[in-house]
Amino acid sequence: MGKLMALILLGAGLALVGERFLTLRERMNAYREVESVESQNCHLIEGIENGSEDIDILPSGLAFISNGLKYPGMPDLAPDEPGRIFLMDLNEQNPRVQELNIGDGFDKASFNPHGMSTFIDKDQTVYLYVVNHPHMDSTVEIFKFEEQQRSLVYLKTIKHELLKSVNDIVVLGPEQFYATRDHYFTNFFLVLLELFMDLRWTQVLFYSPKEVKVVARGFSSANGITISLDKKYIYVADVSDKNIHVMKIHDNWDLTQLKVIQLDTLVDNLTVDPDTGDILAGCHPNAIKLLMYNTEDPPGSEALRIRNALSEKPMISTMYANNGSVLQGSSVASVYRGKLLIGTVFHKALYCEL
């Protein structure tokens, strides 16, 4: 009887593992092959070779580009190089990137930039907030941008016990932001278990000097985050659930979910078109190819535009798609006056004229 019970339990356990494995492959779009949607007016940006994970464009047309992310489970083409921030002036006829010098007082050797967000003060001073993973920890670094010197002045590092596994942020005011937490656990093996079991324990956090709290929860893996042009709504990408959550901002900074926009691709970072308010999404058509990197069969790239996000039937169109022959592992898409930038987790970056 004992042997029979053991066999039953073993069979049930194997069945659960098999079901979870098949479900995970489906969630990761393991069998999807992307169909190319490309323009002749696109070219790779010279000088960016090992990632451009997030891009934030100022109203003036100056684009900040993060570079050199080292993230567990992701390919890393330059493991010995620290992260950097590049600047690109989209007002130029032939824009080029320039590395921004980071001033004294900041540990540049351990710089590992992830998501970014800018804030412009009343006196027009520009501040750049960067999610950083020094030694695989999570902090938020605050810099002041010196436009004439093309440099960043280090101001402050923000750490908090709730700010773990931070992926992206959107700044609301001085030292005030929403942040996504893409994993509940920080141990790599527990992260794998979390992904395998789809625990849905990840969150959106609100941070201010006076209060830090969870304002939304229940995501499979909360990733990119941005804010609507009218500052009334927050858009949150759930990368492994392949959707975008539209959330209303309350006076106390809590968030209420209004709707979910379901997609057929894994959504990474989000930006908003400053002219139309459309959501732009950098996406992974097949995440298995990203997690199990093979130069002979690389991960593709996909950039989507979502129009009328608050309507019953948002309009979804593909701005760019490639099978990895040109651009691998797209993570963000951002526009400025007819110019499109597409960044990647670990690869290159693309410039297009629409």
Side-chain angles (χ1 to χ4, degrees):
M1 187 66 180
K3 290 183 178 180
L4 177 61
M5 182 60 68
L7 288 172
I8 291 173
L9 292 175
L10 177 62
L14 291 174
L16 175 62
V17 170
E19 184 273 333
R20 288 285 89 194
F21 181 75
L22 292 175
T23 299
L24 178 62
R25 289 185 64 84
E26 182 179 341
R27 287 166 52 216
M28 297 294 106
N29 272 6
Y31 307 105
R32 185 183 173 203
E33 297 294 336
V34 65
E35 296 182 7
S36 291
V37 177
E38 300 181 60
S39 169
Q40 294 182 346
N41 298 321
C42 294
H43 65 263
L44 294 173
I45 299 174
E46 184 178 351
I48 296 182
E49 299 294 335
N50 59 315
S52 44
E53 203 279 337
D54 203 7
I55 298 172
D56 198 299
I57 305 177
L58 294 173
S60 65
L62 295 177
F64 296 101
I65 304 172
S66 66
N67 170 261
L69 173 65
K70 292 157 182 60
Y71 193 80
M74 294 290 114
D76 183 3
L77 303 184
D80 298 324
E81 293 185 16
R84 297 177 289 180
I85 303 295
F86 286 102
L87 187 74
M88 191 174 194
D89 188 348
L90 297 178
N91 297 294
E92 296 177 355
Q93 187 172 357
N94 297 299
R96 296 178 177 272
V97 294
Q98 174 185 356
E99 181 181 349
L100 291 177
N101 179 58
I102 300 177
D104 295 337
F106 180 71
D107 183 6
K108 289 174 273 192
S110 66
F111 192 32
N112 189 9
H114 204 163
M116 299 187 301
S117 182
T118 53
F119 172 69
I120 302 175
D121 215 337
K122 293 179 180 179
D123 62 0
Q124 299 306 300
T125 301
V126 175
Y127 298 92
L128 180 66
Y129 288 59
V130 183
V131 175
N132 186 21
H133 300 297
H135 313 293
M136 295 305 163
D137 198 358
S138 284
T139 62
V140 175
E141 314 293 349
I142 305 178
F143 302 96
K144 183 173 73 171
F145 174 52
E146 296 286 355
E147 184 173 349
Q148 297 300 320
Q149 291 79 20
R150 291 294 199 261
S151 65
L152 295 173
V153 177
Y154 169 67
L155 298 179
K156 186 175 183 178
T157 296
I158 294 176
K159 295 187 69 173
H160 191 274
E161 59 183 9
L162 288 180
L163 293 174
K164 303 294 184 183
S165 296
V166 178
N167 186 296
D168 196 15
I169 59 174
V170 58
V171 180
L172 308 166
E175 295 188 37
Q176 189 178 64
F177 54 82
Y178 287 118
T180 55
R181 183 170 176 172
D182 59 11
H183 294 101
Y184 181 81
F185 297 109
T186 55
N187 178 277
F188 181 67
F189 295 103
L190 291 178
V191 167
L192 292 179
L193 177 64
E194 179 183 346
L195 179 66
F196 189 70
M197 297 303 295
D198 192 20
L199 296 179
R200 298 179 180 272
W201 288 355
T202 72
Q203 308 158 337
V204 176
L205 307 167
F206 169 76
Y207 178 92
S208 74
K210 295 182 179 180
E211 183 180 28
V212 185
K213 62 181 179 178
V214 177
V215 291
R217 63 183 79 231
F219 302 94
S220 181
S221 183
N223 198 295
I225 186 169
T226 192
I227 192 168
S228 62
L229 292 182
D230 61 11
K231 311 299 183 186
K232 294 181 180 179
Y233 306 99
I234 287 292
Y235 306 129
V236 181
D238 190 334
V239 59
S240 55
D241 224 14
K242 296 180 284 191
N243 57 36
I244 298 171
H245 295 246
V246 179
M247 317 199 81
K248 182 180 179 181
I249 303 173
H250 295 279
D251 291 340
N252 63 354
W253 302 109
D254 284 349
L255 299 176
T256 299
Q257 181 171 291
L258 297 181
K259 64 181 301 182
V260 176
I261 302 172
Q262 194 64 46
L263 302 169
D264 187 34
T265 188
L266 287 87
V267 193
D268 203 318
N269 287 322
L270 304 175
T271 64
V272 168
D273 187 323
D275 296 323
T276 65
D278 298 343
I279 302 172
L280 306 181
C283 306
H284 306 289
N286 182 330
I288 291 295
K289 292 186 178 183
L290 184 66
L291 296 170
M292 303 177 67
Y293 184 65
N294 178 1
T295 56
E296 300 299 318
D297 186 22
S301 293
E302 191 171 30
L304 302 182
R305 178 184 289 273
I306 297 97
R307 295 181 172 89
N308 304 321
L310 293 172
S311 68
E312 290 186 9
K313 293 184 178 180
M315 297 176 58
I316 301 165
S317 59
T318 302
M319 303 178 70
Y320 178 87
N322 176 263
N323 63 5
S325 60
V326 176
L327 197 69
Q328 302 175 13
S330 57
S331 56
V332 63
S334 192
V335 295
Y336 173 79
R337 295 184 180 177
K339 298 174 181 179
L340 168 67
L341 298 181
I342 302 176
T344 66
V345 177
F346 68 94
H347 194 232
K348 302 177 185 292
L350 197 71
Y351 169 87
C352 302
E353 293 186 357
L354 302 175

